[in-house]
Amino acid sequence: MSIWFGGFGGTILDRSDSGLASPPWRIYLKFNDLIDPGPSRTVLLLDEREDAITTGGFDIDMTGFPDEPQLTQFLWDMPASYHVGAGGVSFADGHSEIKHWLDPRTTPALGSLRNYDESDTATVIIPSPRNADIIWLQNGTTRLIRQ
């Protein structure tokens, strides 16, 4: 489940090295919070690759969104590609689709994440500049909290 739905008890701790913090990003706590991008475009559940599962909350890192795609990155969690290079994604309005991942960095070989220090997967940042798949996920995730 996307970490942006409920976070950890309604919060996500500030991570200065990642785009995973609320504030400034909105956590969805109730259906009426889904104002942008809206329920039909907000990713709720998605397949996660088996060698990246940690807490069950899928961290969609917002670094670089919306106008610095050279900064996009994975924060350990990566989508699965069990369906011939694609993964199942469901949205807050209840519909689902199979998303074909476009960037090969989104679908590295299983076991290849062992190259990273797995002692604290919450700190593993995998840079992936201009990754179209991360940008697609970010577009269907959260938005800055408007004051």
Side-chain angles (χ1 to χ4, degrees), residues 26-91:
R26 178 183 310 280
I27 294 176
Y28 302 118
L29 299 176
K30 55 187 185 282
F31 193 78
N32 287 344
D33 292 341
L34 296 167
I35 53 175
D36 187 11
S40 67
R41 286 293 311 134
T42 305
V43 173
L44 175 60
L45 300 168
L46 63 159
D47 289 338
E48 185 169 3
R49 55 185 287 131
E50 64 203 56
D51 60 347
I53 295 172
T54 54
T55 65
F58 192 102
D59 298 342
I60 300 170
D61 191 306
M62 297 303 290
T63 301
F65 184 83
D67 55 2
E68 296 183 281
Q70 72 278 11
L71 300 177
T72 56
Q73 62 189 24
F74 289 106
L75 187 60
W76 185 255
D77 293 338
M78 298 179 82
S81 55
Y82 302 130
H83 306 284
V84 191
V89 180
S90 68
F91 298 83

Side-chain angles (χ1 to χ4, degrees), residues 47 82-91 95-101 136:
D47 289 338
Y82 302 130
H83 306 284
V84 191
V89 180
S90 68
F91 298 83
H95 87 278
S96 62
E97 61 185 61
I98 297 294
K99 169 65 177 149
H100 182 77
W101 305 115
W136 184 87

